[in-house]
């Protein structure tokens, strides 16, 4: 059984005392996120997993940690520097949090590097995928690579000297660089230079001449290191070391000041490149003199330095995980088409299917292309459809969703797209989509001032014999065909007139002027989600006290909001059984005596990224089920437009209940959180593989 340590200071002895309203009733959210990434790392450390899947999880861990420093750590540093720091919910000051984060992150980064160096890289070599050093290559291959370097790499390199005439160069965020020490043979003067490893050339250069059935790769920085003499002719290259910086990448767009949000965002995106450095990654064998120079010139402290063994920038392992070696990957699967959406061997008329009742799709087990994508494509092609209204938070680079909306607009339909151009790290792509949609004749709006539009909703208005009829899709995931094969998400299709009216009101609020905050079958943030959930949690406590059936089950990405956590604690003290399935951050402390004894928290990680949000309440024997886009986080509840939709169709409720039953079963492979804040592995059954099998069986029967 594997455990990960909880928040420092949270001991069993401390929890033996009543927590009451003490800050220690909460776990630190930043440490909780790092522990989530540690669970990702555990997937890479699993020797039973396919090798290239382990490699992929190493890359995901690296990308996750990059973003954590770019946003969360950068935000804490900015608060500290501006004197705006406040204590976290668990009582820690900003400086205390940074100290804990840096220590934990450094420990994880080193474990991550060692996992690759000591476990995954040797296993790759055994499987015929070898990463070598320049000195390991035979002379014939070195000769060939001399020519390859001159033709493919040398022309794009730019050595930048550092001396009184050349100030220290700008180092772009997340770029891999070589710090080079050279000496003038005539004067004996040593100089420093920086050479950027180009990011438009593959990180791993394939080497020829290996054994049949094998592939050998040389890291690009090793190839460059062997040829630095060509960049500094007449000088002696004394040493070179790889390094990498992470910069603050959080955007601050003053929407109340700027009249044009699009222009304001583009201005901030250009500034993002020059955000202050928040992390310096180096090899553990870097020359102390070079490290001192980097620390001084980059204006960081030794606290910001992370030294690791082996290769830096392991996010580039995505290049290796993409290799065509199916025997080293998870078995491929084809998502099933929901049986309600097929008619014999042909696709069903989705509108006709929805007139017979709601449909719940569960991605990636149910196909996105034959459900969500087909819904919009059918609407675009249907001459009886008059209007399509859609929210877009993230989508793919070659989006069939956007193509369908453009086709609809060009066919004369009214198309309204609420596109969130401030979706973090997708800003540039969303600006391009916004302009493309506008050129096609779509009405593009950017939502409400000061709020991100994060809800996932599509509304189709169709002329039928009895008048206008509305068809809707509300989901937990983005309208993104690629991630729909990697993310676990839920989507509800319905022709329910009440929900259609709710969505009409919501889109009117997003595109026009409206003070509406209450809906019939929707909870809408920032006004309705927290209040709606609080009312239902408190109602469960009353049911328990009155001896009526009670229970709460929550599936979310993050559980952080203190108000809702305190309400769950109160419900637990009333005797309500509570199950929480959380992928990432959890600030709730389960199983604490006198506080949360009836609460269980588990995390499920695997082949697919668990992304759906579901809230279920026993409600005295008349269960309620809600699904939607909102996590239990301040930003989702207070600073975003989010929706939770009530599931009313009996068959859909049964399927949702079945999913939750399975996720909370004792035999499922998972991580359990204990009262001390530590995570423990338990269970043996891969529930994602099981659900894949269920989808295949259901499609075969259909």
């Amino acid at each position: 059984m594997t455990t990960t340590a909880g928040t420092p200071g949270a001991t069993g002895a401390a929890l033996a005392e009543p927590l009451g309203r003490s800050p220690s009733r909460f776990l630190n959210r930043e440490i909780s996120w790092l522990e989530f990434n540690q669970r990702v790392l555990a997937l890479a450390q699993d020797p039973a997993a396919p090798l290239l899947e382990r490699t992929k999880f190493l890359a995901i861990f690296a990308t996750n940690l990059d973003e954590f420093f770019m946003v969360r750590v950068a935000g804490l540093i900015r608060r500290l520097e501006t004197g705006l720091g406040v204590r976290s919910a668990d009582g820690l000051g900003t400086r205390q949090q940074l100290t804990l984060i840096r220590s934990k992150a450094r420990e994880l980064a080193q474990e991550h590097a060692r996992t690759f160096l000591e476990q995954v890289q040797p296993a790759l070599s055994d499987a015929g995928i070898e990463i070598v050093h320049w000195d390991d290559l035979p002379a014939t291959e070195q000769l060939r690579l001399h020519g390859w370097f001159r033709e493919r790499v040398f022309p794009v390199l730019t050595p930048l000297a550092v001396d009184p005439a050349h100030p220290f160069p700008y180092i772009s965020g997340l770029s891999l660089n070589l710090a080079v020490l050279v000496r003038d043979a005539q004067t004996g003067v040593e100089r420093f230079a920086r050479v950027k490893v180009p990011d438009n050339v593959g990180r791993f250069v394939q080497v020829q001449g290996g054994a049949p059935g094998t592939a050998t790769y040389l890291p690009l920085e090793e190839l460059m290191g062997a040829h630095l003499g060509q960049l500094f002719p007449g000088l002696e290259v004394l040493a070179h070391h790889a390094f990498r910086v992470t910069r603050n990448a959080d955007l601050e767009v003053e929407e109340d000041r700027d009249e044009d949000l699009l222009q304001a965002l583009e201005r901030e995106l250009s500034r993002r490149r020059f955000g202050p450095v928040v992390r310096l990654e180096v090899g553990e064998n870097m020359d102390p003199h070079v490290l001192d120079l980097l620390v001084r010139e980059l204006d960081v402290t030794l606290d910001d330095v992370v030294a690791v063994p082996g290769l830096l920038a392991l996010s580039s392992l995505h290049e290796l995980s993409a290799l065509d070696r199916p025997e080293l990957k998870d078995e491929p699967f084809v998502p099933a088409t929901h049986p309600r959406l097929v008619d014999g061997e042909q696709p069903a008329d989705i509108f006709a299917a929805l007139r017979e009742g709601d449909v719940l799709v569960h991605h990636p087990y149910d196909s996105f292309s034959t459900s969500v994508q087909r819904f919009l494509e059918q609407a675009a092609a249907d001459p009886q459809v008059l209007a399509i209204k859609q929210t877009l938070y993230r989508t793919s680079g070659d989006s069939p969703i956007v193509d369908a909306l453009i086709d609809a607009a060009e066919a004369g339909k009214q198309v309204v797209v609420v596109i969130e151009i401030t979706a973090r790290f997708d800003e540039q792509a969303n600006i391009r989509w916004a302009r493309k949609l506008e050129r096609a004749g779509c009405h593009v709006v950017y939502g409400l001032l000061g709020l991100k539009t994060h809800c996932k909703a599509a509304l189709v208005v169709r002329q039928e014999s009895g008048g206008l009829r509305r068809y809707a899709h509300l989901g937990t995931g983005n309208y993104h065909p690629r991630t729909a094969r990697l993310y676990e998400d839920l989507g509800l299709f319905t022709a329910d007139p009440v929900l259609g009216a709710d969505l009409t009101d919501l889109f009117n609020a997003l595109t026009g002027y409206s003070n509406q905050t209450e809906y019939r079958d929707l909870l809408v943030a920032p006004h309705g989600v927290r209040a709606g959930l609080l009312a239902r949690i408190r109602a469960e406590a009353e049911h328990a006290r009155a001896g009526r059936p009670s229970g709460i089950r929550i599936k979310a990405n993050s559980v952080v909001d203190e108000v809702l956590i305190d309400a769950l604690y109160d419900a637990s003290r009333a005797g309500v059984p509570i199950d929480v399935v959380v992928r990432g951050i959890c600030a709730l402390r389960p199983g604490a005596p006198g506080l949360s004894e009836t609460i269980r928290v588990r995390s499920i990680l695997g082949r697919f990224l668990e992304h759906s949000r579901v809230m279920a309440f026993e409600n005295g024997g008349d269960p309620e089920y809600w699904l939607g886009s909102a996590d239990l986080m301040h930003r989702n509840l207070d600073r975003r437009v989010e929706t939770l939709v009530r599931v009313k169709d009996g068959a859909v409720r049964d399927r949702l209940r079945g999913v939750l039953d399975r996720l909370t079963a004792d035999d499922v492979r998972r991580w359990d959180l204990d009262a001390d804040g530590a995570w423990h592995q338990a269970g043996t059954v891969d529930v994602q593989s099981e659900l894949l099998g269920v989808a295949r069986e259901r499609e075969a029967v259909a």
Side-chain angles (χ1 to χ4, degrees), residues 151-299:
E151 293 177 6
R152 304 288 186 89
V153 181
F154 181 80
V156 301
L157 299 182
T158 304
L160 295 174
V162 177
D163 57 33
H166 300 89
F168 193 85
Y170 164 76
I171 310 295
S172 54
L174 303 187
S175 64
L176 187 60
N177 304 270
L178 294 182
V180 185
L181 284 178
V182 297
R183 181 166 57 201
D184 189 316
Q186 295 180 347
T187 65
V189 175
E190 293 185 7
R191 299 291 189 191
F192 174 88
R194 172 260 190 166
V195 183
K196 180 179 178 179
V197 179
D199 53 15
N200 55 359
V201 179
R203 170 76 181 281
F204 297 103
V205 179
Q206 187 160 8
V207 175
Q208 296 180 2
T214 66
T216 303
Y217 296 92
L218 178 73
L220 181 58
E221 65 270 27
E222 284 244 358
L223 179 64
M224 291 170 54
H227 293 84
L228 287 174
Q230 297 181 29
L231 291 172
F232 303 98
L235 299 176
E236 179 187 1
V237 177
L238 299 177
H240 66 275
H241 302 277
F243 73 96
R244 186 172 184 258
V245 302
T246 308
R247 293 183 177 275
N248 181 335
D250 212 9
L251 297 178
E252 294 184 80
V253 181
E254 296 182 31
E255 296 179 47
D256 55 347
R257 183 199 69 187
D258 293 288
E259 295 183 0
D260 190 324
L261 179 58
L262 201 63
Q263 291 180 1
L265 182 62
E266 288 180 314
R267 182 178 62 250
E268 285 302 309
L269 285 172
S270 66
R271 291 177 181 171
R272 172 190 274 176
R273 297 178 54 243
F274 301 98
V277 175
V278 296
R279 179 180 58 164
L280 169 61
E281 295 174 271
V282 301
E284 63 180 8
N285 61 346
M286 175 173 275
D287 184 305
H289 170 67
V290 175
L291 179 59
D292 288 345
L293 185 147
L294 290 175
V295 166
R296 182 176 66 253
E297 295 291 349
L298 292 170
D299 193 23

